[in-house]
Amino acid sequence: NAGVTQTPKFRVLKTGQSMTLLCAQDMNHEYMYWYRQDPGMGLRLIHYSVGEGTTAKGEVPDGYNVSRLKKQNFLLGLESAAPSQTSVYFCASSYSEEVYGYTFGSGTRLTVV
Amino acid sequence: AQKITQTQPGMFVQEKEAVTLDCTYDTSDQSYGLFWYKQPSSGEMIFLIYQGSYDEQNATEGRYSLNFQKARKSANLVISASQLGDSAMYFCAMRGGSGGYNKLIFGAGTRLAVHP
């Protein structure tokens, strides 16, 4: 089925560990995004990409890095995890025109202890 | 800067009744899009409805309608004939405006509970 696939779905990290979240889409979307969702705060944009090889900072980029080497993949990295990064992470993709909403992945629940 | 405000942290409604979820937005631009998403307890984000800033008619999608009042900068979601399956978190979001078409900005959400 076409859509956005996130791996892993769950992860527990120790403070200071690193990890990479993978997002893959098969809809040929130009734009891809990483959001984090925390209680009472909605979804906040971490980083986004408007095309292969491009990335840009969103609202809350500190502590995260991203890469988009291929159009269909968008990776989110945590270099040194902190408890404040405990959250649910959503990847999304879209076409460039404003009339289109986003297609979201199913989310990754990350706990940093 | 763009901002979406949802002032109702929680709402409840009786089954089969209608409910309105409030959303106000802040942008100085003329071209933007407004979206509503549903997030059930399973966690996925489900697109419900879209309204473009130049659309003169309110958007409708089945039991969902968007009460768009441009002068007031409000984009309230109306759910008619509520069902138990409508119990979920609902997010209002905006794309475009001063934030650019690249980004979708979300409100904090409203948790709706439908009672039998």
Side-chain angles (χ1 to χ4, degrees):
Chain A
N1 291 335
V4 177
T5 303
Q6 287 183 236
T7 53
K9 296 192 183 306
F10 302 93
R11 185 72 185 268
V12 178
L13 283 180
K14 293 183 178 179
T15 298
Q17 286 185 321
S18 64
M19 78 164 294
T20 300
L21 281 67
L22 172 63
C23 178
Q25 55 96 2
D26 58 5
M27 296 169 286
N28 203 34
H29 285 166
E30 297 94 344
Y31 294 176
M32 296 187 75
Y33 309 83
W34 278 106
Y35 286 86
R36 61 176 288 173
Q37 183 179 17
D38 302 293
M41 302 189 75
L43 278 76
R44 293 182 293 169
L45 184 63
I46 305 171
H47 286 282
Y48 64 99
S49 168
V50 299
E52 181 178 320
T54 74
T55 63
K57 294 180 180 180
E59 183 185 2
V60 288
D62 293 343
Y64 305 95
N65 57 75
V66 288
S67 64
R68 192 164 178 202
L69 301 179
K70 295 183 179 180
K71 186 177 184 179
Q72 63 268 32
N73 295 338
F74 196 30
L75 279 62
L76 177 70
L78 285 72
E79 293 181 344
S80 179
S84 61
Q85 294 177 305
T86 293
S87 188
V88 179
Y89 292 85
F90 283 96
C91 177
S93 67
S94 76
Y95 294 112
S96 57
E97 292 81 10
E98 69 166 355
V99 299
Y100 294 100
Y102 291 10
T103 301
F104 283 85
S106 57
T108 296
R109 185 173 295 275
L110 175 66
T111 302
V112 182
V113 298
Chain B
Q2 283 181 311
K3 186 177 181 181
I4 297 286
T5 302
Q6 294 181 253
T7 58
Q8 306 154 315
M11 290 279 289
F12 70 89
V13 64
Q14 291 294 126
E15 194 177 8
K16 300 181 183 178
E17 294 186 348
V19 63
T20 298
L21 306 183
D22 294 342
C23 172
T24 58
Y25 58 92
D26 186 16
T27 180
S28 56
D29 285 5
Q30 298 301 310
S31 180
Y32 49 88
L34 295 158
F35 301 80
W36 278 91
Y37 283 83
K38 172 183 178 182
Q39 186 180 43
S41 58
S42 54
E44 71 267 33
M45 296 288 289
I46 301 169
F47 166 74
L48 294 178
I49 195 166
Y50 163 82
Q51 178 85 42
S53 59
Y54 294 115
D55 296 339
E56 294 185 352
Q57 288 194 325
N58 288 340
T60 60
E61 289 287 348
R63 295 187 297 110
Y64 304 108
S65 61
L66 200 153
N67 185 0
F68 181 46
Q69 298 187 39
K70 194 170 182 177
R72 292 188 171 185
K73 294 186 177 179
S74 74
N76 298 340
L77 177 70
V78 180
I79 305 174
S80 63
S82 296
Q83 302 172 357
L84 296 179
D86 294 334
S87 294
M89 197 76 172
Y90 289 82
F91 292 98
C92 179
M94 176 168 63
R95 183 174 187 178
S98 55
Y101 299 129
N102 299 335
K103 301 176 236 180
L104 197 62
I105 306 299
F106 286 84
T110 296
R111 184 170 298 281
L112 176 67
V114 180
H115 296 172

